[in-house]
Amino acid sequence: MDTVRLHVRVEGLVQGVGFRPFVHSLARRMGLAGSVSNDSAGVTVEVEGARGSLDLFLRLLETEAPPLASIERIVSREQAALGEREFVIARSNGRADERTALVSPDMATCPDCLRELFDPSDRRYRYPFINCTNCGPRFTIVRGVPYDRSATTMAPFTMCAACAREYADPTDRRFHAQPVACAACGPQLSLTDGRGHELADDAISGAARFLREGRILAVKGLGGYHLAVLAADEAAVSRLRARKHREEKPFAIMASDLQSARCLAELTGGEARLLSSPRAPIVLVRRRADAPVARATAPGNRYLGLMLPYTPIHHLLAHELRSPIVLTSGNVSDEPIAYRDADARERLDVIADAFVTHDRAIETRTDDSVVRSVRGVAMPVRRSRGYAPRPIGLARSLARPVLACGAELKSTICVAKDHRAFVSHHLGDLENYEALRAFTEAIASFRRLFDVTPAVVAHDLHPEYLSTKWALEHAEAPLVAVQHHHAHVASCLADNGVDERVIGVAFDGLGYGTDSTLWGGEFLVADLAGFERAGHLATVAMPGGAAAIREPWRMAAAHLDLVYGADAPRLAVAERNAARWPAIVDLAHAGVNAPLTSSMGRLFDAVAALLGVRDVVTYEGQAAIELEQLADPVETGAYPARFTEEAGGFELRTADLVGAIVDDLLARVPTPAIAARFHNGVARAVVEGCRLVRERVGIETVALSGGVFQNVILLDRATDLLEADGFAVLRHRQVPCNDGGISLGQAVVAGHAADRA
Ligand code: ZN
Ligand code: ZN
Ligand code: FE
């Protein structure tokens, strides 16, 4: 028999995720000999046996890897067989090597742990902190590197003999699982009042009783505190809304399992898969008309943000309650969620009637991640728990390490070196002091965790972004300013592992342009090194500047003025805002305190106001979200998308779109049809604009980015039309198309700028 020996290197996220035990058991199962060990950048396997078995072994290494592992590359070479008989886990070659080992994201309780959790004969029966190498907290408990229990918030808990045995046994599921614990040695759950006094002996059954009585609970999770009430309890949900000072922004719901999720929403296959994935994000899904959920949960919204239990605490509560709960971030209004115990008690005491809490500290605050399913694939809206800090693999290795400071809203930072970019968890809006602190902490901790000393620091062009100011004040390395929409497009390229020149369509709210206007409806010819602005939306005034973002009716006034001047027909939106209408039209007309913008987001706002969807927003993007929901999904009509050639590139004639909407409004066409025709018109504008660019430069790949593309109707239809016209389409899959993805784009652009320097 032909015995072969292979030296195999596995790179990626393969340490601290049960990879060595997996290799060990796979090799033994297949009767192969050799060894497995950790090395500086992953895992090394020496394996020998029959050639056919080795081929299968290499294949299974990839396809059956443990859930937390993420393999970037497997390289193998043949060598002379040694005639070994055993397969063993070898000692790692030195602690220092583990510095480059990657920290895994936090993962939902795995099926094995779940079985044990509800097995009365298991020694961890009903233990709220059960976990193993395949699941449990990671990123949120890490304090430093190397990733080791002593460098996590589990350090104060000394393992009992039984846990220590599992931890040391290579054949055990808990081999080197840093947070391993049991009721005898690990963290303890308690139900307390705001002053920390215990309210019940059994925290879970006490908490369930409180929820059934309509009370509001603060529940400590993986990345912070949540606030919980029974989702069907109208009075409780309304009380939560009032106490949180949250007007209309939807609350997320945790269903007890997939079956009960199906009672709340019509789930596609892709949505069901996302819901039950170990990353356990909030998935935005179409709600069922008869969903047993209080009206106040998501007022005026046809979608629900759904998730499934992802910690043992959630599973125990769900098991006891068997009905969906609202589970929303533990904060007042727009503050970041509370995650330190003392701070949570102080801030949430005015909202929560009791606290479900424990003595395992949270080191890094993470929010629940939010995704939508587009054509069966996840489209991230907010990237945090379960996803961060998983690296984004780059198409080409960077010449120098980079720190990228991101944008202002939905802030993230990114550190990158070699062929990996680490995008931080969602940090919040930097104008908020707590979020700004999270921003500086994230920069420090990401540099430390991933051993990146930046040789270049990237920031937005906008001089007023706090992230820009931070870069200017603190950077100890050369600065590179990256234009906002170039960063969006570059982010989409990096997200797809692409490094070529493309047509970039960047539609968003606002970003600082290279001229004196605010951009946001851009057609670029771009690669990672640079860009040209090929075309954009015709500019319009934003009467009152930032006030026009909060009050979409002002954008309607500005657009109507542009189309009709003094002859604008009297529309309902003008009637509703009659008192201030003339003054706002004057502002727009005179261009005083009315900066010009080419923003697609602002056009969506204007249309939402025209259709009576919303004159004033209470959270970012609300008008556009509601306009998308209004759109009739079967309407196929489309408003005209025409361009004119101007000195600075082509311009989309938004006046044609607005004029057509007004005509339909006056003809009493139902608003769902108008909303759909507008979406279809914008989708056509995307294709027409891309055709114009293609005629000029011959590029056939289009990258769609910017927050407007969170709109699935637009994204879907634009993709269809582009593909039908022979374009290849790149969409976001790993980082959000909104400003949460900006830091990644900045990082790759600045990395290449450094390349040339
Ligand atoms: Zn597990
Ligand atoms: Zn123990
Ligand atoms: Fe943006």
Side-chain angles (χ1 to χ4, degrees), residues 123 160 163 181-182 184-185:
R123 72 182 193 88
C160 68
C163 285
C182 71
C185 67

Side-chain angles (χ1 to χ4, degrees), residues 43 48 63 166 175 192 241 282 287 289 300 325 387 398 406-407 467 469 475 484 496 527 532 583 596 615 686 732 742:
V43 162
E48 62 180 82
T63 55
E166 293 167 331
F175 176 61
T192 72
R241 214 166 252 295
I282 294 172
R287 79 191 282 174
I325 54 174
Y387 294 86
L398 296 173
S467 52
K469 291 182 171 171
H484 189 87
N496 288 277
D527 58 20
E532 280 163 58
L596 288 176
D615 287 343
V686 170
H732 282 272
I742 285 287

Side-chain angles (χ1 to χ4, degrees), residues 109-177:
T109 308
C110 73
D112 289 331
C113 285
L114 200 53
R115 213 170 302 122
E116 292 169 354
L117 181 64
F118 292 110
D119 175 1
S121 70
D122 192 274
R123 72 182 193 88
R124 291 190 180 83
Y125 176 56
R126 287 178 58 85
Y127 179 55
F129 303 92
I130 187 170
N131 67 79
C132 71
T133 35
N134 300 326
C135 74
R138 290 289 188 283
F139 177 53
T140 53
I141 60 167
V142 169
R143 289 205 155 123
V145 281
Y147 175 61
D148 198 7
R149 188 175 177 106
S150 61
T152 71
T153 62
M154 281 300 289
F157 302 96
T158 307
M159 275 182 242
C160 68
C163 285
R165 243 191 328 273
E166 293 167 331
Y167 181 87
D169 177 0
T171 62
D172 195 279
R173 209 173 82 244
R174 297 192 166 87
F175 176 61
H176 279 207

